[in-house]
Every structure is written in C-alpha cells, then in structure tokens.
Amino acid sequence: MPVDPSTLSFGRRASYYTSNLALRGLIGALGLIPYEKRVPAMGWVMRKAAPLAGFHKRIRDNLALTCPELPEADVARLCDEVSDNIGRVVAELYAGQPFLERAWAAPISGPGLPALDRARAEGRPVILVTGHFGNYDAARANLIKRGFAMGALYRRMANPYFNDHYVQAIEKTGKPMFEQGKRGMMEMVRHLKQGGIIAIVADLHAHGGVNIDFFGEPAVTSIVPAELALKYKAAMIPVYAIRQPNGLDFEIVVQEEIAPSDPVTMTTTVCKRLEDLVRQHMGQWFWVHRRWKPYVPIPKSSPTGPKSSPD
C-alpha cells in the first residue's frame, strides 16, 4: 500500500485525491444528520452506489462460487443487504461517541467469555480473532469498555490521502493500533509477550497464507494468529458483533476458545465457526471482498536476497 503519494503516478494521485475529497465530504455531510437517521441513510447511499462501484458484481460472483443453489431473488436481496451493512459500518466508524455508546451497551455472551475472563485474571496473553461481519469494531469497543485493554492490527488503506483520516477514526475506539507490516508486527508481538490482548480481523485473502476451505471453496488464509497463539501460549478466542434487526444495535458473541493443536487445524476451526455464523446472517458478512483469489506461493529467498512478491 502506498505511504507517500509522491511515489504514485500523477493519474493515480489525482484519482486518490479526488476520491478522498468525495468520501470526506460525504462523511462530513452525513455528520450533520442525527445518528439514528445517519446510519440508515449511509446504508441507503451505499445500496444505491454499490452497482456503480462494482459491489454487486463481486457479491454475485462470490455467491455463484460458494452458494450456487441460491435463487435469484435471494441473491438480489443479499446484494442490497451487504451493501447496506457496509454503508452503516462506514457511518458508525466516523460517528464517534454515539456509536461507542451503542457498542458499549450491547449484551455480551458466549462460551468463550469465561476463558477470556480467566486469561485476564492470569495475565495470559489473548488473541481475539474476528471478521468483516456485522461491525467488528463494535466488539472491540464493547470489550475495551469492560476493561479488556487491547491493541488491534489494521491494514493500511490503498488511498494514502484517506488513510490518516481512517486511522484517526479507528483510534477513537481504542489504542494501540498496529499497522500490518514488519514494524507493526514487531510492536504487536511485544504487546502480546507482555500479556496483552490483541484483536485481528482474520478473514481476508492473505498472501503467503494457506488454502483453507471457506464455504466449501479453498480460500488463502493467514495462519499467523494461530502461530502466535501457540508460540506465546495465548488464548485464541473468536469474537463477533451481530447487528440487530433495528440496524443500530449489536449483540457481542464470544465463541469458545480455540483448542491448541497446530496452526492449520486451529485456523480451520476459526473459518468453520465464522462460516456457520455467516450462514445464519448472510447479509452481514462483507461478500464484496476478493476472498477466493488463487493461491500463489511466495518465492523462496535466494542468496542475493528475497525475490519480489508477485501479489
């Protein structure tokens, strides 16, 4: 992901700068609307913009691959539901206090909650794994409010002009934040070794990962969270925030701790449990992601140094 816009071509800089202005202008305008109307309004905007942005095509392609039995009426409905949820997440991300208050008030339950409490009492490190489902930041905000101080790993946005604005927004939920990359990984590991809690969104295509079935199809998935859990004897616990029927509130579900075994088995369990949850709430997962890209192995290092990544 570009850090310095000067490294980009003039055309790419112009495109990113223009989209940054448009996004920030839209977010600023929506901020003038009361929260209870702002969130569904952004959902409506995203539903209307989704076909133009290519979201519907991506959703349809992913559903055709993984759920070919779905009737056309259900596919069309999911195109709208997924886009609506993404729009709501964007509005919530930049809403600040009104969103945090909703997240703080969310009920929390699940078989993993006692394990999380025990780990905190023992000073044992914890890796909370989540996904692009509901609003993943609601779970982080809720747990931080309950005294589970945690850091979170995030992926830099492609648009360098918008990235700083994005980071400032997610930091309002809690700090520290670790940017994906060598430096961020070092900081995150240091935090973990000190008995800290980290949150990782673990359902994206991960270059260098391994193929693990998700909805019956191989999806390249990072096994790093499981490797870290085994190395530092951390509790690995999945947690998700389920959006409620009113579209504004959440329920936080802490799934059972992943039993230590080997990284692939542990990661497979995470993927299977997320799939089961998504099947119950199909419109709440981000079907717009390129989750099923082909597996491309990372070239091995040579005596002259590592080869460039093909991704």
Side-chain angles (χ1 to χ4, degrees):
M1 298 295 180
V3 176
D4 184 354
S6 66
T7 63
L8 302 171
S9 66
F10 175 78
R12 182 64 64 85
R13 287 202 309 272
S15 175
Y16 278 146
Y17 188 77
T18 302
S19 62
N20 171 59
L21 290 179
L23 283 170
R24 295 186 65 168
L26 176 60
I27 291 166
L30 286 170
L32 301 175
I33 304 173
Y35 181 81
E36 289 76 10
K37 295 182 179 179
R38 182 192 324 165
V39 173
M42 189 61 181
W44 180 87
V45 169
M46 191 63 73
R47 287 201 308 275
K48 298 303 179 183
L52 301 176
F55 281 10
H56 282 191
K57 182 180 185 306
R58 189 89 51 77
I59 294 167
R60 286 180 173 277
D61 288 346
N62 284 336
L63 289 173
L65 174 69
T66 60
C67 306
E69 74 285 353
L70 281 180
E72 167 57 27
D74 288 346
V75 172
R77 173 179 55 80
L78 286 172
C79 284
D80 281 342
E81 288 184 3
V82 171
S83 302
D84 182 87
N85 183 62
I86 292 173
R88 288 172 185 261
V89 170
V90 172
E92 290 160 347
L93 178 65
Y94 292 96
Q97 195 68 19
F99 165 66
L100 292 177
E101 289 176 355
R102 294 269 180 173
W104 294 340
I108 185 169
S109 61
L113 193 54
L116 183 56
D117 286 328
R118 282 196 305 272
R120 177 171 60 174
E122 297 168 358
R124 181 187 177 197
V126 176
I127 297 176
L128 295 171
V129 288
T130 188
H132 290 83
F133 174 90
N135 187 333
Y136 45 90
D137 230 30
R140 184 165 70 100
N142 184 282
L143 289 169
I144 289 174
K145 183 66 172 178
R146 294 175 186 273
F148 294 97
M150 71 179 73
L153 183 70
Y154 74 95
R155 178 179 290 190
R156 168 176 282 273
M157 299 193 77
N159 188 328
Y161 296 105
F162 192 75
N163 184 71
D164 289 346
H165 191 246
Y166 165 71
V167 173
Q168 290 171 10
I170 59 178
E171 282 182 341
K172 291 178 181 178
T173 300
K175 295 181 181 181
M177 300 296 300
F178 309 113
E179 181 182 331
Q180 189 177 56
K182 184 176 180 180
R183 179 178 176 180
M185 180 62 71
M186 291 174 60
E187 293 172 346
M188 186 179 72
V189 167
R190 187 181 304 118
H191 179 78
L192 197 64
K193 289 168 68 175
Q194 294 170 348
I197 303 173
I198 60 173
I200 300 178
V201 181
D203 63 342
L204 291 174
H205 174 93
H207 184 55
V210 299
N211 268 329
I212 292 178
D213 275 8
F214 188 56
F215 276 82
E217 295 291 332
V220 183
T221 307
S222 174
I223 60 173
V224 170
E227 290 175 336
L228 291 174
L230 292 170
K231 183 174 183 178
Y232 298 109
K233 296 180 172 56
M236 185 175 179
I237 304 174
V239 58
Y240 300 98
I242 304 172
R243 189 178 297 281
Q244 297 302 284
N246 68 4
L248 296 170
D249 293 316
F250 303 92
E251 176 188 359
I252 313 301
V253 174
V254 186
Q255 295 182 344
E256 185 178 358
E257 179 181 350
I258 303 295
S261 55
D262 65 85
V264 172
T265 299
M266 295 169 70
T267 306
T268 299
T269 302
V270 171
C271 291
K272 180 61 173 67
R273 290 190 192 169
L274 174 58
E275 178 183 330
D276 290 344
L277 185 63
V278 173
R279 287 188 182 278
Q280 298 173 44
H281 308 276
M282 289 283 283
Q284 294 199 36
W285 190 65
F286 285 28
W287 288 92
V288 297
H289 285 151
R290 293 185 177 92
R291 186 66 185 95
W292 291 273
K293 290 194 288 185
Y295 172 77
V296 179
I298 294 181
K300 295 181 179 179
S301 298
S302 66
T304 57
K307 298 178 182 179
S308 60
S309 166
D311 193 18

